[in-house]
């Protein structure tokens, strides 16, 4: 270093020190630059004015570090890892083969950056493999998702707008506990202050999100996936109650958590829950259970099951005999 370097030279030297040391205290930076601690802070300020993200970390082990976006360290993939990345993207988002798709464009850049020996098979897989669209998948707005992730990470209450499947819209004040991806759909697991209860909201139906300064403490030791599964089976419009003539241990493997809570009942068991779609509950869920049952509660579910039974009865009934044409 020259005997009398300029402020610009010292600032660039400070940048190089921060590049090579993950966290550098003001004292260490000053010592490496050969200046006072106050001067070292001034050079950090020059870097920030230039748009370089220098973050401050407080505490006994704090100091300065470069923030995200400053540089991208080299990433090395094996061929198996590259293929696995493309396969995972195809499984979760069939449109990823389209360069106009948001994730497809990002994946294309990653594949192109790979060495020929590693990226060739991944490029071929992306070009020639096809994936059928998942009718139940939903892709939320990345900006909305980012805002919710920020709130979850910093434990900040949010104000959001929400639109239900039926089209009803409302404003919500909630403590966002976690984001859970389940069967191609993103859910916000939260405590709703509007309902004073646990709620699960589809992230693709969330509109504007505003983070507040109000903090919160999530439940200790809770399992987001388990809580989501349990909550999906409660709080819906139509109550359900189904009694099975089989012990809980035999029925349980056939019961999905959104169907409700399975409890012992005499020598059998009972499934208590709720649904927003009785037809789907009867056709897709109950019809798969290979044990005798009766619907003890929920007139809407009883009607849906009766309609399903009538459809199947009609499907296997004998065809009507043909009436021979009149010879008159």
């Amino acid at each position: 270093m020259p005997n009398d370097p300029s402020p610009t030279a010292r600032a660039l030297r400070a940048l190089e020190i921060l590049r090579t040391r993950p966290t550098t205290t003001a004292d260490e930076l000053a010592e490496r630059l050969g200046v006072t601690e106050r001067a070292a802070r001034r050079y950090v300020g020059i870097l920030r004015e230039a748009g370089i993200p220098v973050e401050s970390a407080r505490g006994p082990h704090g100091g300065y570090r470069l923030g995200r976006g400053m540089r991208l360290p080299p990433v090395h993939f094996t061929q198996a890892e590259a293929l696995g990345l493309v396969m995972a993207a195809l499984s979760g988002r069939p449109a990823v083969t389209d360069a106009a798709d948001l994730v497809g464009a990002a994946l294309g850049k990653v594949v192109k950056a790979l060495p020929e020996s590693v990226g060739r098979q991944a490029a071929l897989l992306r070009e020639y493999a096809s994936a059928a669209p998942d009718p139940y998948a939903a892709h939320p707005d990345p900006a909305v998702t980012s805002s919710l992730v920020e709130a979850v990470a910093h434990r900040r209450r949010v104000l959001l707008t929400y639109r239900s499947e039926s089209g009803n819209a409302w404003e919500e004040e909630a403590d966002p506990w976690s984001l859970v991806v389940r069967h191609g759909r993103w859910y916000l697991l939260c405590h709703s202050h509007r309902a004073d209860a646990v709620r699960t909201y589809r992230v693709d139906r969330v509109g504007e999100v505003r983070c507040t300064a109000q903090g919160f403490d999530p439940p200790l030791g809770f399992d987001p996936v388990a809580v989501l599964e349990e909550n999906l089976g409660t709080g819906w419009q139509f109550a359900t109650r189904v009694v099975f003539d089989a012990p809980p241990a035999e029925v349980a493997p056939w019961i999905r958590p959104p169907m409700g809570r399975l409890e012992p009942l005499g020598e059998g068991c009972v499934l208590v829950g709720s649904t927003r779609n009785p037809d789907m509950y009867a056709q897709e869920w109950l019809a798969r259970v290979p044990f005798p049952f009766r619907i003890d509660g929920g007139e809407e579910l009883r009607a849906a099951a009766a309609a399903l039974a009538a459809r199947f009865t009609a499907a296997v009934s004998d065809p009507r005999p043909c009436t021979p044409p009149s010879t008159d």
Side-chain angles (χ1 to χ4, degrees):
M1 223 175 135
N3 291 333
D4 188 20
S6 67
T8 301
R10 288 191 187 276
L12 291 175
R13 174 60 177 157
L15 175 60
E16 184 61 29
I17 293 171
L18 294 175
R19 281 180 183 274
T20 57
R21 297 173 62 90
T23 302
T24 305
T25 66
D27 288 341
E28 293 171 340
L29 188 60
E31 182 180 354
R32 297 285 296 275
L33 292 174
V35 298
T36 64
E37 182 179 330
R38 181 177 180 182
R41 296 182 187 279
R42 185 167 65 249
Y43 295 130
V44 170
I46 292 174
L47 294 176
R48 287 171 171 166
E49 289 175 2
I52 297 173
V54 181
E55 300 176 347
S56 299
R58 298 181 178 180
H61 303 290
Y64 297 112
R65 61 171 177 263
L66 293 179
R68 290 183 179 273
M70 183 55 209
R71 62 176 180 173
L72 181 64
V75 178
H76 302 285
F77 291 98
T78 65
Q79 187 177 82
E81 290 171 341
L83 289 172
L85 179 64
V86 176
M87 292 172 67
L90 282 170
S91 298
R93 194 180 182 105
V96 78
T97 55
D98 185 356
D101 179 74
L102 180 66
V103 178
L107 182 63
K109 293 177 181 178
V110 172
V111 172
K112 287 180 180 179
L114 296 174
E116 173 68 16
S117 60
V118 174
R120 182 174 177 274
Q121 291 297 325
L124 290 175
L125 177 63
R126 179 173 181 266
E127 181 177 358
Y128 291 105
S130 300
D134 183 352
Y136 299 107
H139 303 295
D141 185 338
V144 169
T145 307
S146 177
S147 297
L148 291 174
V149 168
E150 187 78 11
V152 171
H154 293 91
R155 299 183 178 182
R156 289 290 181 266
R157 186 173 299 175
V158 295
L159 301 175
L160 57 85
T161 57
Y162 191 76
R163 173 187 50 81
S164 68
E165 184 179 23
S166 61
N168 296 327
W170 65 85
E171 293 186 351
E172 179 71 84
E173 182 179 9
D175 296 341
W177 292 349
S178 181
L179 289 176
V180 182
V181 184
R182 179 182 182 276
H183 300 317
R185 292 179 177 176
W186 287 70
Y187 292 91
L188 170 66
L189 179 62
C190 65
H191 175 81
S192 165
H193 290 272
R194 174 174 172 266
D196 191 24
V198 179
R199 286 291 183 266
T200 54
Y201 293 131
R202 288 263 300 273
V203 178
D204 58 295
R205 294 179 184 158
V206 175
E208 182 183 2
V209 177
R210 286 182 293 148
C211 190
T212 72
Q214 179 68 45
F216 69 89
D217 292 318
L220 294 176
F222 84 109
D223 182 339
V225 175
V227 174
L228 175 75
E229 294 277 11
E230 179 181 352
N231 196 63
L232 284 176
T234 60
W236 298 107
Q237 181 179 1
F238 305 110
T240 60
R241 180 182 170 87
V242 182
V243 177
F244 293 92
D245 295 331
E250 296 182 13
V251 177
W254 297 89
I255 302 301
R256 301 174 57 186
M259 295 174 68
R261 185 178 64 257
L262 191 65
E263 301 175 346
L265 181 66
E267 296 182 356
C269 56
V270 59
L271 178 64
V272 180
S274 62
T275 182
R276 62 176 175 80
N277 190 335
D279 291 332
M280 180 274 296
Y281 195 105
Q283 296 172 21
E284 298 185 17
W285 291 351
L286 278 185
R288 296 178 60 251
V289 181
F291 300 102
F293 64 84
R294 67 179 183 278
I295 300 175
D296 237 13
E299 291 304 314
E300 296 80 8
L301 181 58
R302 291 173 62 89
L308 179 62
R311 283 176 51 200
F312 276 89
T313 300
V316 298
S317 62
D318 294 333
R320 295 179 180 178
C322 296
T323 303
S326 174
T327 57
D328 294 341

